[in-house]
Structures are given as C-alpha cells and as structure tokens.
Amino acid sequence: MIYTINYMDSKSFVSIADCSKDDILQLIRTAGQFEQHPNQKLLEGKVCATLFFEPSTRTRLSFETAINRLGGRVIGFSDAATTSSSKGETLKDTIKMVSNYADVIIMRHHLEGAARYASEITDIPIVNAGDGANQHPSQTLLDIYSIYKTQGTLENLTITMVGDLKYGRTVHSLLTGMSHFNPTFCFVAPEELRLPDIYKQFMDKNGIRYSEHTEFSQDVINQSDILYMTRVQRERFTDLIEYEKVKNVYVLNNQMLENSKDNLRILHPLPRVNEIAQDVDDNPKAYYFEQAKNGVFARQAIISTVLNYGT
Ligand code: CP
C-alpha cells in the first residue's frame, strides 16, 4: 500500500503551531494507517539523519524504528560529545554539512529555536525532536493520537497537566495542538513551575478555558478525561537547591484514581522518575507505555509527510 500524502504548508516540522487542525487530523489518520500496516518501503534509497545534541531514549529510537520500517537508512549521533561540535563547530556548519549527506534531519537541541534556525539554513526538511523548553511537536502528535485512540474523539475533553509546566516542552506543545479541539485545561504546578504567561495569553486570545492549581486534588483528578503527568526536569534548573524543593511535589498513586472517570487515561511523555507510583502501572487507566509505542506510527506519519511521498 502506498499512501499519497500532500498536506502541511511547511516542508519542515518545527512547531505544532505551524499545523492547522486539518493537518493534525490528517497526520493522526496517517498514523492510524501506519499502525495497521507498519512495514512499507516508502523511504527506499533515502537517508535520514538523527542529530541528538541532548539525551533521548524514546524519541530517537522510535524515529529510527519508523525510518527502518519504511525502508530508509539512518545516520547520525546520540552524543554530541563524539562530534565536531565538541571542537567548536557551529550548529549552522553542522546542519549545512549533514544536509550534504541526508534527505531529512531529525534534531534535538538544548537551545530554544534551534530547529527553526536549522530550517532556515537548509533546503532539506527539519523535524524538531525537542528544542530546550520550547516545543516537542512529534511528541504532541503521538500524544494527540493516543488521546484520540483512548477517547474516540479529540473534542471537548478536560485535560489536566501536572508537574513541570514551566520548562515542560511537551506541555507547551500539547496545549497548542489541542487548542483546536475546544479543550478545558487544568494546570497543576508549584508556584516555581507555573505555566509561562505566553501560553496563558495564547489561551485567553483563543477563548480556551483553563484553571491553575497548586494542589493536586481529588476534585481535579475526578473531573479529568486525560491526566498528563510530567517529570520535574533536573537538567533545566540552574540552581539545584530549587530543584530539590520541587522534585517530589506531586506523586500519583493508585488510591488517588479510585473515583476517577471510567474513560480517564493517564499519559506521560516519559521518562518517569517518581511522579507516578509503580502501583499505577497495572491500572487499566495507565496508558503511558502504549503511548510510547504510538510514537512509532506518529513518527512514520511525520517523516513520510515531510518527505512528501506519493506526490
Ligand atoms: N518523551 C521523550 O521525549 O522521551 P526521550 O527523552 O526518551 O526521547
């Protein structure tokens, strides 16, 4: 089966804000098709570069699995210390060099805006696999695909996001992506890790309902359709004393789910540290491991779209 994929104005996939509602719906439909038929030789003869300047398990391995299942070849690195950037080579020069070798670049970088910058200095598509605390759009696509699979709809859902809402790029991307679907958001974070004002301004401008809480209360859990837990990210703190103050602030356990809605599903972009107790893993409402599996199909949809297969 060969899909004809021709949507999204941009050839790169840098921010979920660049995608219309139709783009997102088309991408999750395509992900669903790849879930049905994951092995297709759409990328035969293509070389895909994965440049990970920051650590990753899921994102890199699921992108590479996606490419392998589509018959493409992968080059790249998972540790920038082994590359010439450790000798002082600029990101610009690295991107220009790799553009000579590959048909698409998938990159994770600690600097916010790095993927956008890369997309402006090369003619090949750039896929953002996370840029600092800014965006993680491929995670958002798999999150939205997971929400759709578990809820049967994307519309009118109550989505509670818990943890590090200040530095959490998955949170920033997901609220942007879900803004097309009339959500109600509950944001649970300590004062130090509250959602940045820029995202609240975005929601105010777009008439999106939201509330902010410092307490992770039963009321908040019991009204949720999706509980999106996040890790407090040690690597984003310049002052580790500040990290120690907030690192264990919210821990979800099984007992807290007793009166939750039947359709509630618990998502987490992972890695988890201790914000979800191990006893939740066997609860049928825990969905984070299946969510990570959905990453392969979502990333097959992204790669095949930016390379514009069938057109
Ligand atoms: N969710 C996510 O980005 O995981 P990794 O950091 O392991 O890629």
Side-chain angles (χ1 to χ4, degrees), residues 277-306:
Q278 302 275 338
D279 70 354
V280 179
D281 293 358
D282 295 327
N283 189 312
K285 294 177 182 176
Y287 193 74
Y288 27 93
F289 296 123
E290 292 96 327
Q291 177 190 0
K293 181 176 179 184
N294 290 335
V296 173
F297 315 122
R299 288 170 172 131
Q300 285 183 297
I302 292 166
I303 294 293
S304 55
T305 298
V306 299

Side-chain angles (χ1 to χ4, degrees), residues 52 54-62 108 129-130 136 139 142 169-170 228 231 235 268-271 299:
F52 278 69
E54 273 193 336
S56 168
T57 297
R58 276 147 294 275
T59 309
R60 186 174 66 81
L61 294 180
S62 62
R108 171 172 287 188
H136 194 348
Q139 177 72 44
L142 79 89
R169 59 192 174 199
T170 65
Y228 194 87
R231 172 178 68 99
E235 66 273 25
H268 190 312
L270 304 178
R299 288 170 172 131

